[in-house]
């Protein structure tokens, strides 16, 4: 299968006066598994449909394999799309569903048979070839939909929330199968999801979108460890990062929080200024029990055996989540004191919401 990178240059989409994609630049290298992630309405599915050719663009350029494809019909772009709804032909068997696209381009029957047999074995649906979609489970239908894309040998695979109709356990299994498929085929793949856990576990690169704009693009752990702004910091990572506003002290190594408490922030590496209004970000698993720090009134406890989650309230009424390894003796109604691990603190400019620059 041939491979192709995808480059977006100031791509825009407007419906009348409403601009839903606001000038996105993105460079996806050939063979990368790129995930578009973001909240509902951020434009991720619209952007995918523009790349596929199912949606026209209002401005900019889409380049696939070095060729500008703005005016190239969807059928001629060498892409294959897998939809949330599977979109299988209900009156056809699995074999016929897999064969249909190849028959339409007059592929010799012997070649069709070889491709269908090979793909069905790879996706472990070879025993289902004579069944119709109504006789398949959700996971089996999704495999058939993926198989129909694979037999066409596209340059690029596009996935539009393909697992959202499956139950939680099956979604985990299918995530692994799609990632394994990418490793076997080596094609460029773009995958749209609102589930940041899917994004973190599957992607080579993640594009975080919000309100039609690209907030950050990079490797999953880079986004997790070095978010560009408060939105990315809060969106990537589960459970989400805790945020507390405060003011930097005169010596730059203390932070007076809106809760009225003061914590030490030595050696964070950020270039905070004395008197600057900042937002402290700290992940739920990066806080320790301490004699000095933040007072947390516990309102909820989840014991999962190997790990525990505590849900509490700070002195200013803000909610906070703590994630502890193992089991805990903390109970609802109890007040505990925790301190952020200094080397895990994130600092953001409260006004701009961007991460502070480093020293």
């Amino acid at each position: 299968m041939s491979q192709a990178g995808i480059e977006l240059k100031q791509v825009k989409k407007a419906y009348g006066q409403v601009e839903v994609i606001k000038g996105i630049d993105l460079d996806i290298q050939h063979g990368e598994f790129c995930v578009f992630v973001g909240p509902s309405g951020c434009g991720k599915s619209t952007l995918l449909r523009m790349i596929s050719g199912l949606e026209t663009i209002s401005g900019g350029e889409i380049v696939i394999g070095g060729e500008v494809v703005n005016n190239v019909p969807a059928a001629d772009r060498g892409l294959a799309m897998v939809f949330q709804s599977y979109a299988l032909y209900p009156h056809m068997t699995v074999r016929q569903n897999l064969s249909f696209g190849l028959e339409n381009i007059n592929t010799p029957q012997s070649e069709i048979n070889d491709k269908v047999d090979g793909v069905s074995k790879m996706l472990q649906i070879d025993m289902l070839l004579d069944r119709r979609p109504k006789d398949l489970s959700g996971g089996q239908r999704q495999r058939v939909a993926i198989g129909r894309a694979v037999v066409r040998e596209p340059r690029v695979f596009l996935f539009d929330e393909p697992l959202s109709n499956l139950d939680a356990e099956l979604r985990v299994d299918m995530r692994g199968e799609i990632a394994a498929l990418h490793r076997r085929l080596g094609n460029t793949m773009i995958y749209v999801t609102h589930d940041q856990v899917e994004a973190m576990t599957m992607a080579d690169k993640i594009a975080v979108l919000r309100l039609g704009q690209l907030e950050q693009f990079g490797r999953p752990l880079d986004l997790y460890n070095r978010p560009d702004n408060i939105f990315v910091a809060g969106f990537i990572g589960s459970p989400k990062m805790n945020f507390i506003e405060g003011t930097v002290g005169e010596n730059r190594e203390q932070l007076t929080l809106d809760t009225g408490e003061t914590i030490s922030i030595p050696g964070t590496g950020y270039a905070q200024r004395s008197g600057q209004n900042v937002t402290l970000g700290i992940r739920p698993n990066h806080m320790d029990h301490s004699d000095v720090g933040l007072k947390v009134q516990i309102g909820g406890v989840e014991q999962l055996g190997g790990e525990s989650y505590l849900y509490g309230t700070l002195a200013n009424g803000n909610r906070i989540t703590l994630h502890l390894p193992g089991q805990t003796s903390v109970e609802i109604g109890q007040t505990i004191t925790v301190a952020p691990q200094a080397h895990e603190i994130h600092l953001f400019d409260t006004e701009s919401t961007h991460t502070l620059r480093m020293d």
Side-chain angles (χ1 to χ4, degrees):
M1 298 182 185
S2 61
Q3 298 177 343
I6 296 177
E7 190 175 1
L8 308 183
K9 300 179 179 179
Q10 277 298 294
V11 169
K12 298 178 181 179
K13 178 64 181 180
Y15 297 100
Q17 298 300 310
V18 181
E19 196 172 34
V20 294
I21 301 293
K22 303 172 183 177
I24 287 182
D25 291 301
L26 202 56
D27 188 1
I28 302 168
Q29 299 295 311
H30 77 268
E32 282 186 335
F33 194 123
C34 176
V35 175
F36 293 171
V37 71
S40 296
C42 70
K44 55 190 181 294
S45 288
T46 300
L47 192 59
L48 191 77
R49 291 173 64 83
M50 291 161 70
I51 292 170
S52 73
L54 297 176
E55 194 84 57
T56 59
I57 75 172
S58 304
E61 287 185 346
I62 296 176
V63 181
I64 301 176
E67 175 192 4
V68 178
V69 297
N70 290 19
N71 300 312
V72 176
D76 298 330
R77 294 192 182 188
L79 315 179
M81 195 156 176
V82 178
F83 297 93
Q84 176 181 343
S85 62
Y86 315 137
L88 302 176
Y89 298 110
H91 62 287
M92 293 184 181
T93 64
V94 169
R95 182 183 293 278
Q96 290 167 331
N97 266 282
L98 295 175
S99 303
F100 186 70
L102 298 176
E103 291 169 352
N104 279 350
I105 56 174
N106 299 315
T107 306
Q109 190 60 48
S110 60
E111 187 177 336
I112 292 175
N113 292 341
D114 288 344
K115 287 184 176 181
V116 168
D117 288 345
V119 167
S120 64
K121 283 177 181 151
M122 180 172 64
L123 294 173
Q124 299 177 6
I125 53 174
D126 47 316
M127 74 296 293
L128 307 175
L129 290 174
D130 295 325
R131 295 190 195 177
R132 286 184 166 77
K134 67 180 177 61
D135 301 318
L136 305 177
S137 68
Q140 290 169 336
R141 290 179 196 175
Q142 190 56 274
R143 282 193 187 90
V144 175
I146 293 170
R148 191 175 52 185
V150 174
V151 293
R152 292 175 49 197
E153 299 185 349
R155 297 192 291 173
V156 178
F157 288 90
L158 307 176
F159 294 90
D160 192 4
E161 303 212 36
L163 307 184
S164 56
N165 288 336
L166 304 179
D167 64 49
E169 186 175 350
L170 192 52
R171 284 177 71 161
V172 173
D173 291 342
M174 287 301 298
R175 278 206 313 250
E177 291 189 22
I178 292 173
L181 179 69
H182 175 251
R183 288 193 296 272
R184 282 198 296 268
L185 299 180
N187 289 57
T188 307
M189 293 187 178
I190 303 177
Y191 186 103
V192 164
T193 182
H194 63 273
D195 184 337
Q196 58 89 28
V197 175
E198 276 184 18
M200 288 291 290
T201 55
M202 299 175 74
D204 296 321
K205 299 275 185 68
I206 296 175
V208 181
L209 301 169
R210 179 173 64 153
L211 300 175
Q213 294 180 308
L214 180 66
E215 293 286 336
Q216 191 170 352
F217 179 59
R219 295 180 299 179
L221 289 181
D222 289 343
L223 271 60
Y224 181 88
N225 293 324
R226 293 183 290 280
D228 281 351
N229 54 50
I230 288 177
F231 176 77
V232 174
F235 196 85
I236 297 295
S238 180
K240 67 181 292 185
M241 186 181 285
N242 298 298
F243 298 105
I244 313 164
E245 294 185 4
T247 305
V248 179
E250 285 188 19
N251 66 358
R252 292 181 54 210
E253 294 197 348
Q254 282 192 322
L255 191 61
T256 301
L257 302 172
D258 285 1
T259 61
E261 295 147 330
T262 298
I263 64 167
S264 179
I265 53 169
T268 60
Y270 292 102
Q272 66 268 21
R273 304 186 312 274
S274 299
Q276 184 176 12
N277 293 327
V278 299
T279 299
L280 178 146
I282 189 72
R283 297 203 180 274
N285 55 316
H286 290 156
M287 283 181 284
D288 300 321
H289 284 278
S290 175
D291 294 329
V292 180
L294 302 170
K295 293 274 192 296
V296 181
Q297 173 87 29
I298 301 300
V301 177
E302 290 179 354
Q303 299 259 26
L304 303 182
E307 58 186 350
S308 303
Y309 292 91
L310 305 180
Y311 302 95
T313 308
L314 297 172
N316 63 354
N318 283 8
R319 296 185 182 278
I320 189 168
T321 302
L322 309 176
H323 177 209
L324 309 174
Q327 300 167 21
T328 182
S329 59
V330 177
E331 297 179 349
I332 293 174
Q334 195 173 337
T335 297
I336 63 173
T337 304
V338 298
Q341 297 171 9
H343 60 288
E344 298 291 358
I345 284 174
H346 298 261
L347 290 180
F348 306 91
D349 181 89
T350 300
E351 186 175 344
S352 72
T353 78
H354 287 292
T355 301
L356 294 186
R357 67 179 179 81
M358 305 302 283
D359 269 329

